[in-house]
Amino acid sequence: MTKTIFQFLLLFIILILLQAIVFNNICLFGVAVPFVFIYFIVHLPVTISSNWLLTLSFLTGLTIDIFANTQGMNSLACTIVAMCRHNILHWYFPREDELTIPEPSIRSLGIEVFSKYLFTFVLFYCTIIFLIESFSFFNIFRLLLRILCSTLLTFLLLLGVDSMLSQRR
C-alpha cells in the first residue's frame, strides 16, 4: 500500500514537473499543445473512490494552474474529466473485476482497449480545456483544429509514456 502511494506520488511529481518545465513551452504549429500531466488521472486505479479521484484530479489541475498561470481552467477541466472517467472506462471495458492490474494501462487492458480509452479521455479533456479557454465559438475551425491536433499529440505521447512504464514493471 505504501509502495503504491509512493509510486503515484513520484509519478505525480515527475509529470507535473515535465508539464511545467518542458511541455508548457511547446506549441506545434500554433495549434498542438501536449498535456502529459493528465496521464496521472488516466493511470489512477479503477477501484479508487470517486471522492479521492475528484480530489486528486482537482489538485493535479490546480498545480498545473499555479505553474501555468491559467486561473483555474485546468482544475475545472481535470475535475470534469474525472467525473466522467468511470463512464469512459466502462464504454470499452465493462467489467472492472476482470482487471489483473487495477491501474488502466496497456498491460492490464490490452493495447486496443487502452488506446480507445486513452484517446476518448484525451479528446474529452482537450475539448473541455479549449472550450473553457476560448469561451466562444467565434473561430470554430481553429478551435476544432486545436482540439484535434492537441488530442493526437497528447495521445501519442501518453501511449509512449505508458509503454515505457509498462516495460519497466
Side-chain angles (χ1 to χ4, degrees):
M1 178 74 174
T2 306
K3 182 180 177 185
T4 306
I5 293 172
F6 180 72
Q7 287 175 340
F8 276 103
L9 182 63
L10 186 63
L11 180 66
F12 175 81
I13 291 170
I14 290 170
L15 289 175
I16 294 296
L17 288 176
L18 279 173
Q19 184 70 39
I21 296 169
V22 178
F23 293 110
N24 276 350
N25 300 316
I26 296 174
C27 186
L28 296 178
F29 309 111
V31 291
V33 179
F35 298 107
V36 295
F37 72 93
I38 63 172
Y39 182 74
F40 177 74
I41 302 167
V42 168
H43 193 65
L44 285 172
V46 176
T47 56
I48 193 169
S49 72
S50 57
N51 290 337
W52 275 109
L53 178 64
L54 289 173
T55 303
L56 291 173
S57 299
F58 175 78
L59 290 176
T60 303
L62 182 64
T63 307
I64 292 299
D65 284 332
I66 290 169
F67 282 115
N69 195 20
T70 51
Q71 296 90 22
M73 292 188 306
N74 287 297
S75 303
L76 178 61
C78 285
T79 306
I80 291 171
V81 170
M83 287 184 345
C84 301
R85 177 181 179 257
H86 192 71
N87 293 333
I88 292 171
L89 184 63
H90 282 285
W91 284 347
Y92 304 112
F93 196 80
R95 295 187 46 121
E96 62 190 43
D97 57 341
E98 293 176 5
L99 283 175
T100 56
I101 303 169
E103 294 95 19
S105 67
I106 291 173
R107 195 168 136 202
S108 64
L109 296 176
I111 185 73
E112 183 181 344
V113 173
F114 182 72
S115 295
K116 289 177 187 176
Y117 161 66
L118 183 65
F119 186 80
T120 307
F121 191 89
V122 171
L123 178 65
F124 192 54
Y125 178 81
C126 288
T127 303
I128 290 171
I129 193 71
F130 287 124
L131 283 175
I132 292 169
E133 183 182 308
S134 69
F135 208 65
S136 72
F137 295 107
F138 180 69
N139 193 350
I140 192 78
F141 178 72
R142 180 160 169 78
L143 178 66
L144 292 175
L145 186 65
R146 289 184 75 194
I147 290 170
L148 181 66
C149 292
S150 295
T151 299
L152 290 175
L153 180 61
T154 303
F155 172 72
L156 293 174
L157 285 171
L158 293 185
L159 269 182
V161 167
D162 191 71
S163 65
M164 285 189 325
L165 289 176
S166 292
Q167 284 179 355
R168 224 179 98 231
R169 289 187 200 126

